[in-house]
Amino acid sequence: MIIRKFIEKDLSQVLNLCREVRQYHRDILNGYFTEQDDAIEQIGFVDSLTKDNMVALVAEDDGNLCGYLLAEIKNAPYLQKSKIAHICNFGVAKKMRRHCIGRALMDAFYELCREENVDEIRLDVFNKNVEAYRFYERYGFLPFEQRMNLQVQKK
């Protein structure tokens, strides 16, 4: 397995992986998300080909993509340590989970962030996604901010 930067010919495989991850989130969050719209989903990955602030990595095993990580690096001038990398989208194929692919993607991204003098890596994880939450904790991420929401009942 190798970790490398996303290239344009990866798009269809990445979209298939994103679809699998989206469905997983739909299942654990009782349909909170809509089904995937490929035109919207591909924007960040395509942007990573031309925009310096976007990073897309893929995990490839025998020519097949089995994981991906999409992140945006930006400056937050209101913070003491202002260079922030936000992981926007991260997933590993269900059949390949627990094979250190997520760890390899995260390690490669961490090294890239060190090279780019990033101060902090952030991500969002749903409370009901217990496996992902535990993965991030094992990697060293700590809870920092709680996002809350309230569903409005329609009349």
Side-chain angles (χ1 to χ4, degrees):
M1 189 225 4
I2 61 167
I3 305 298
R4 60 173 175 77
K5 288 192 174 190
F6 167 85
I7 57 175
E8 195 169 358
K9 74 174 189 161
D10 295 331
L11 189 57
S12 65
Q13 284 191 69
V14 164
L15 290 175
N16 287 337
L17 282 171
C18 288
R19 192 172 296 106
E20 180 183 319
V21 171
R22 171 73 63 96
Q23 188 57 51
Y24 173 75
H25 284 107
R26 284 175 51 82
D27 293 345
I28 65 171
L29 297 170
N30 299 316
Y32 181 74
F33 287 103
T34 61
E35 290 187 17
Q36 179 169 298
D37 178 338
D38 286 353
I40 293 171
E41 195 69 35
Q42 72 184 4
I43 292 171
F45 291 97
V46 172
D47 281 353
S48 75
L49 299 171
T50 58
K51 294 183 178 177
D52 290 339
N53 69 319
M54 297 299 296
V55 176
L57 302 174
V58 294
E60 182 181 354
D61 187 44
D62 291 330
N64 296 310
L65 298 190
C66 51
Y68 61 89
L69 185 150
L70 177 66
E72 180 179 15
I73 298 174
K74 55 187 170 185
N75 287 309
Y78 50 88
L79 297 176
Q80 290 278 340
K81 296 181 177 181
S82 63
K83 196 163 185 184
I84 307 296
H86 183 259
I87 297 174
C88 316
N89 201 339
F90 182 48
V92 174
K94 184 176 182 177
K95 66 182 179 179
M96 298 299 286
R97 291 182 191 150
R98 298 194 184 349
H99 290 88
C100 298
I101 293 165
R103 180 88 185 181
L105 281 162
M106 196 65 80
D107 285 349
F109 183 64
Y110 184 83
E111 284 306 312
L112 188 144
C113 287
R114 286 174 53 124
E115 292 167 10
E116 295 292 323
N117 295 312
V118 167
D119 296 305
E120 181 179 337
I121 300 172
R122 293 182 179 180
L123 56 80
D124 298 319
V125 61
F126 291 98
N127 295 342
K128 289 186 177 183
N129 195 347
V130 176
E131 286 183 43
Y133 194 94
R134 288 183 183 143
F135 168 80
Y136 297 130
E137 281 185 318
R138 284 190 305 272
Y139 198 83
F141 283 87
L142 298 170
F144 181 70
E145 178 179 33
Q146 181 69 38
R147 180 181 290 175
M148 300 171 74
N149 71 330
L150 173 66
Q151 299 292 321
V152 176
Q153 300 298 318
K154 307 247 189 243
K155 290 185 179 186

